[in-house]
Amino acid sequence: MAGTDKTRDPILGGPTVVLVDPQLGENIGMVARAMLNCGLNKLRLVRPRDGWPNPAAVAAAAGADEVLDRAKLFDDTASAIADMKHVYAASARQRDMIKPVVTPRLAAGEMHAAAGRGDAVALLFGPERSGLTNDDVALADSLLAVPLNPAFASLNLAQAVLVIGYEWFQAASDSEGRWLETCGEPLADKAELVNFFDRLESALDDSGFLRPPEKRRGMVRSLRNMIQRMTPTDQDLRTLHGVISALQKDRRDH
Amino acid sequence: MAGTDKTRDPILGGPTVVLVDPQLGENIGMVARAMLNCGLNKLRLVRPRDGWPNPAAVAAAAGADEVLDRAKLFDDTASAIADMKHVYAASARQRDMIKPVVTPRLAAGEMHAAAGRGDAVALLFGPERSGLTNDDVALADSLLAVPLNPAFASLNLAQAVLVIGYEWFQAASDSEGRWLETCGEPLADKAELVNFFDRLESALDDSGFLRPPEKRRGMVRSLRNMIQRMTPTDQDLRTLHGVISALQKDRRDH
């Protein structure tokens, strides 16, 4: 189903970013860059102070021109969100309003579910200096609040967009948490590894390192574990074989 | 245990941010701001191009002076990480190196575990234009890679610090994902709610709205569900009672 694909592809079906009364073109450009970093490309501008288009925005977008080129202009917030089904208002400060509050991480899941249903979602951001007015917040379904150091929580506009967009992207990312980048090199298989262990231990036996005999088993186990933790590739083992040969030669030469 | 407390308090025990060859003071300031947003306050600078201290950094830090004031200077990367147990190197691009790669989200968990053990952790960032050298990357245990739009993945320095710091902070945050901010207003209890339902339905019976009789039960259920979804406070219910009275008076006046 198209809907299901949308929820799995972070590049499609993303929320629309609505900037209300943005001041500096540079900040609009940095927002565009942060959006494209996160696979978002739908930008709406309500009354940009310095007019539109704005060369300062292009310079700051660092190549995210496609977001700026597609940006749409609106005269007021209500018309900018007219075709939306759910609106999140980004707000660093608490409002004297009874309103659901949601974190970017939870909102990301909600937004992917909405994308799957085909429901359009907007993220509403206010001007740099003051943030959204209470009247604009009252047009939103929920407040988006980024959990940050309560003693120093204020983000600039592009950073707020980045954190929320980042969570949108993570919610669809199938990235593993930790992996070994091997640059296409095959990992050594266990036969090669045991072959190297035998070579190393035999060299160390010859040199008298693995003594006294009652300590040998523990020492061998430690060495094998060290090499295992290295997760060597084929090439790594060839290098290590070379190291042993070189050291043995060195010793013989002395 | 102190270690356990550290892992739960996002402000304590955080990783050290090491900037290698940072160029613009403004970017160092924005890094300091992003760090303090995320409860991080240990900054090290290796060969800052424009010297240190730098007034441009203070201006851009937007109040995060405590991070700049505590910043330490180093002559090379090796001495900046000398006392560290684990070093993550931030890198947007793949390296021709066999290296574990980890996402900020997984690294955040690892860093909290390290903080719990009392192991010092550093996050290594290269200069704005070029990123870390391969020699600096070779000093690190793991590469940190932020999953982002592969067609447009490059973050500026402060944004890279923000995303990684954000994950550090989230890993210790006990924030709920979604809640209703009631500004201290008590939610209506169910007796008040049912009392309001009765009042509304009686008014609608009088007005002839809840007809025909066989539809009444379904219409009442829809209205009750709408009001339930509103999650009204005591004050909200008083307002709604007032609305009914006002509309009834209006109707009687016509």
Side-chain angles (χ1 to χ4, degrees), chain A residues 182-214:
Chain A
T182 61
C183 305
E185 274 277 324
L187 292 181
D189 62 32
K190 295 307 181 191
E192 296 169 279
L193 200 61
V194 170
N195 179 49
F196 174 75
F197 289 160
D198 291 342
R199 164 90 190 278
L200 174 65
E201 290 149 19
S202 150
L204 294 176
D205 276 328
D206 290 349
S207 74
F209 180 81
L210 293 176
R211 281 187 286 203
E214 63 273 22

Side-chain angles (χ1 to χ4, degrees), chain B residues 91-251:
Chain B
S91 180
R93 58 200 164 86
Q94 207 183 304
R95 306 290 179 142
D96 190 21
M97 261 186 255
I98 298 168
K99 200 87 172 170
V101 187
V102 58
T103 61
R105 187 159 300 173
L106 195 111
E110 295 178 352
M111 291 191 288
H112 280 284
R117 292 190 303 269
D119 285 352
V121 171
L123 303 168
L124 209 59
F125 296 85
E128 292 91 324
R129 198 172 300 267
S130 51
L132 289 166
T133 64
N134 283 341
D135 284 343
D136 281 342
V137 169
L139 287 173
D141 300 270
S142 318
L143 279 176
L144 259 178
V146 183
L148 286 172
N149 180 0
F152 195 81
S154 165
L155 295 173
N156 74 30
L157 184 55
Q159 284 174 319
V161 170
L162 177 69
V163 165
I164 297 164
Y166 165 81
E167 287 286 4
W168 160 263
F169 197 91
Q170 302 318 299
S173 170
D174 54 2
S175 174
E176 298 171 82
R178 180 177 258 286
W179 65 99
L180 182 70
E181 173 55 57
T182 62
C183 305
E185 276 275 326
L187 292 181
D189 62 32
K190 295 307 181 189
E192 296 169 280
L193 199 61
V194 170
N195 179 48
F196 174 74
F197 289 160
D198 291 342
R199 164 89 190 280
L200 174 66
E201 290 149 17
S202 148
L204 293 176
D205 276 330
D206 290 351
S207 73
F209 180 81
L210 294 175
R211 278 185 289 202
E214 65 273 22
K215 297 272 176 87
R216 187 180 187 282
R217 172 176 275 186
M219 292 169 81
V220 162
R221 216 178 266 144
S222 291
L223 287 164
R224 289 185 170 201
N225 277 329
M226 285 165 61
I227 307 287
Q228 290 275 11
R229 290 201 304 272
M230 191 189 288
T231 324
T233 64
D234 285 350
Q235 178 57 52
D236 289 337
L237 284 191
R238 284 193 291 275
T239 302
L240 292 173
H241 277 291
V243 167
I244 292 175
S245 301
L247 293 175
Q248 284 183 318
K249 180 174 176 298
D250 197 45
R251 196 161 67 88

